[in-house]
C-alpha cells in the first residue's frame, strides 16, 4: 500500500470516527435534555401561575363535632376539649409534588406539640393525618422559602395557631361549648372585632327534622407575609373541607359548609351535659 493510499485511509478513518463521535455526542445531549424534561415534570411546577398561592388558611376544627360527623365514639374528644389544627392550606394547588413524601423523622422535634395541637382525633397514634396534610397542602405551600421543608411547614402552622390562640379568645368573650345556642353573628363578630379580619365559620347542617346546625370549623387567613387578612366565605373560592377529611370518609351524609345566617348554632361540649 502506497503512502498516499495509507494517508487516504487514515483520513477516511479519522472522518468516520469524528462523525461517529459527533453523532454520539448529539445523542447524549438529546438524552440529557429528555431526562431533564422528565425530571422537571416530576417536580412541582412552582413557577406556574396556578401554584402561586396568595393566601394561607389556618383551619381549626372542633373535635367533638368531628366525632359526631363520623358517628363514632371518640374517646379522645374528651381529651381534646379545645380547638385543634385541621391544616394550613394555600389557596391554590393541591398535591403539588407527589414524589415529596412525608417523613416523620423530619419533624421529630415538633412531635410533642403536634400531638397536643394537631392530633388525629379519630385515629390517635398514627401519622397518616400529618402525612396527608403535608403531601396535599405542604408541598404546595413550599413555594415559599419560609415553608420549603416539611419541618418549616409544620412549625409555621404551630406558630400561627399559637399566635391566633382562637380557643382562648372565644372563651374570653364567652363563646364556650354549651347546651345553649349561638347565632352566627355572635361568633363571627367576636372573631372579627378581635382580629380585625373576617373569618370563615363552618357548620354541620342539621339532620332531617332538626333546626339547629353544629359548629365545626373556623378558618383564619394570612397573606404571604403572615399578616392576618380576610377569609372568603364563598364555598367555591376555598378548598373543599370535606374533601380534605381523608381519614374521615365515612361522613358521607354530613359535611362542613358555611354556617347558615338564619339558623341557630350548637357548640357541643366535649363532655355530655346531663
Amino acid at each position: 500500500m502506497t503512502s498516499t493510499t495509507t494517508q487516504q485511509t487514515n483520513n477516511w478513518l479519522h472522518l468516520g470516527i469524528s462523525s461517529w463521535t459527533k453523532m454520539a455526542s448529539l445523542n447524549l445531549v438529546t438524552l440529557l435534555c429528555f431526562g431533564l424534561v422528565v425530571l422537571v415534570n416530576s417536580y412541582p411546577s412552582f413557577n406556574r401561575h396556578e401554584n402561586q398561592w396568595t393566601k394561607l388558611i389556618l383551619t381549626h376544627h372542633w373535635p367533638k363535632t368531628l366525632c359526631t360527623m363520623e358517628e363514632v365514639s371518640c374517646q379522645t374528644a374528651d381529651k381534646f376539649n379545645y380547638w385543634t389544627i385541621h391544616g394550613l392550606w394555600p389557596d391554590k394547588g393541591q398535591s403539588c409534588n407527589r414524589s415529596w413524601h412525608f417523613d416523620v423523622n423530619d419533624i421529630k422535634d415538633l412531635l410533642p406539640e403536634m400531638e397536643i395541637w394537631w392530633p388525629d382525633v379519630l385515629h390517635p397514634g398514627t401519622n397518616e393525618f400529618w402525612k396527608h396534610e403535608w403531601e396535599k397542602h405542604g408541598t404546595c405551600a413550599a413555594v415559599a422559602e419560609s415553608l420549603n421543608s416539611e419541618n418549616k411547614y409544620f412549625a409555621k402552622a404551630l406558630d400561627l395557631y399559637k399566635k391566633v390562640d382562637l380557643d382562648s379568645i372565644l372563651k374570653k368573650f364567652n363563646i364556650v361549648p354549651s347546651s345553649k345556642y349561638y347565632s352566627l353573628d355572635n361568633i363571627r363578630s367576636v372573631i372579627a372585632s378581635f382580629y380585625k379580619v373576617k373569618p370563615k365559620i363552618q357548620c354541620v347542617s342539621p339532620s332531617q327534622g332538626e333546626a339547629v346546625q353544629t359548629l365545626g370549623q373556623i378558618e383564619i387567613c394570612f397573606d404571604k407575609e403572615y399578616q392576618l387578612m380576610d377569609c372568603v366565605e364563598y364555598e367555591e373560592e376555598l378548598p373543599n373541607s370535606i374533601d380534605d377529611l381523608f381519614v374521615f370518609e365515612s361522613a358521607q351524609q354530613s359535611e362542613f359548609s358555611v354556617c347558615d345566617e338564619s339558623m341557630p348554632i350548637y357548640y357541643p361540649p366535649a363532655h355530655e351535659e346531663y
Side-chain angles (χ1 to χ4, degrees):
M1 182 180 293
T2 66
S3 60
T4 301
T5 303
T6 301
Q7 183 63 41
Q8 287 177 341
T9 301
N10 289 338
N11 288 342
W12 291 336
L13 286 171
H14 177 74
L15 180 62
I17 292 171
S18 177
S19 298
W20 180 87
T21 302
K22 288 180 180 178
M23 289 179 64
S25 298
L26 182 60
N27 288 336
L28 179 60
V29 170
T30 301
L31 285 172
L32 288 173
C33 289
F34 177 75
L36 183 61
V37 169
V38 171
L39 183 65
V40 168
N41 286 335
S42 69
Y43 279 81
S45 303
F46 285 153
N47 292 324
R48 292 182 184 175
H49 176 72
E50 61 266 28
N51 289 337
Q52 297 299 313
W53 54 267
T54 58
K55 179 186 299 182
L56 281 174
I57 306 157
L58 178 64
T59 308
H60 308 70
H61 55 196
W62 184 242
K64 183 65 174 182
T65 300
L66 192 59
C67 292
T68 303
M69 288 173 65
E70 288 303 297
E71 299 181 352
V72 297
S73 175
C74 275
Q75 295 178 350
T76 52
D78 291 343
K79 176 183 177 182
F80 300 114
N81 60 345
Y82 50 85
W83 288 86
T84 59
I85 302 174
H86 182 167
L88 183 65
W89 306 337
D91 63 340
K92 294 181 182 177
Q94 291 186 6
S95 303
C96 295
N97 185 354
R98 297 182 185 278
S99 66
W100 198 349
H101 301 299
F102 175 79
D103 183 353
V104 72
N105 292 316
D106 289 345
I107 57 170
K108 271 190 173 181
D109 59 316
L110 303 176
L111 290 180
E113 286 191 281
M114 294 282 289
E115 289 168 356
I116 297 171
W117 310 122
W118 200 334
D120 184 341
V121 177
L122 298 183
H123 305 101
T126 72
N127 300 324
E128 287 303 307
F129 188 24
W130 302 332
K131 175 180 182 291
H132 171 79
E133 291 299 312
W134 165 251
E135 294 179 357
K136 183 172 182 180
H137 302 292
T139 56
C140 298
V143 66
E145 185 176 352
S146 58
L147 299 173
N148 66 359
S149 75
E150 190 180 309
N151 191 280
K152 287 181 181 180
Y153 169 74
F154 285 105
K156 176 56 72 175
L158 289 168
D159 178 56
L160 295 175
Y161 170 84
K162 287 183 284 186
K163 285 181 178 178
V164 168
D165 197 12
L166 177 65
D167 198 74
S168 295
I169 298 308
L170 291 174
K171 289 177 180 176
K172 179 179 179 179
F173 291 94
N174 204 33
I175 303 294
V176 295
S178 172
S179 58
K180 75 172 187 177
Y181 300 148
Y182 298 91
S183 70
L184 175 58
D185 188 61
N186 288 152
I187 302 170
R188 184 171 53 202
S189 61
V190 163
I191 296 172
S193 63
F194 184 83
Y195 298 108
K196 309 302 181 187
V197 292
K198 296 176 183 178
K200 180 180 178 182
I201 303 173
Q202 297 174 306
C203 292
V204 178
S205 299
S207 301
Q208 188 173 2
E210 296 181 350
V212 178
Q213 56 194 334
T214 304
L215 184 62
Q217 193 156 265
I218 297 177
E219 298 176 358
I220 305 291
C221 296
F222 297 84
D223 63 21
K224 297 187 79 168
E225 304 301 321
Y226 306 114
Q227 299 300 308
L228 288 165
M229 66 181 296
D230 289 342
C231 290
V232 178
E233 292 195 348
Y234 301 107
E235 289 296 311
E236 65 273 13
E237 297 191 42
L238 290 179
N240 184 290
S241 299
I242 196 66
D243 179 61
D244 198 69
L245 297 174
F246 82 109
V247 287
F248 315 137
E249 291 176 352
S250 64
Q252 296 299 317
Q253 296 183 354
S254 298
E255 60 184 65
F256 293 135
S257 58
V258 173
C259 300
D260 189 328
E261 294 270 3
S262 65
M263 191 178 297
I265 294 176
Y266 176 48
Y267 184 1
H271 303 275
E272 293 293 340
E273 296 182 350
Y274 298 99

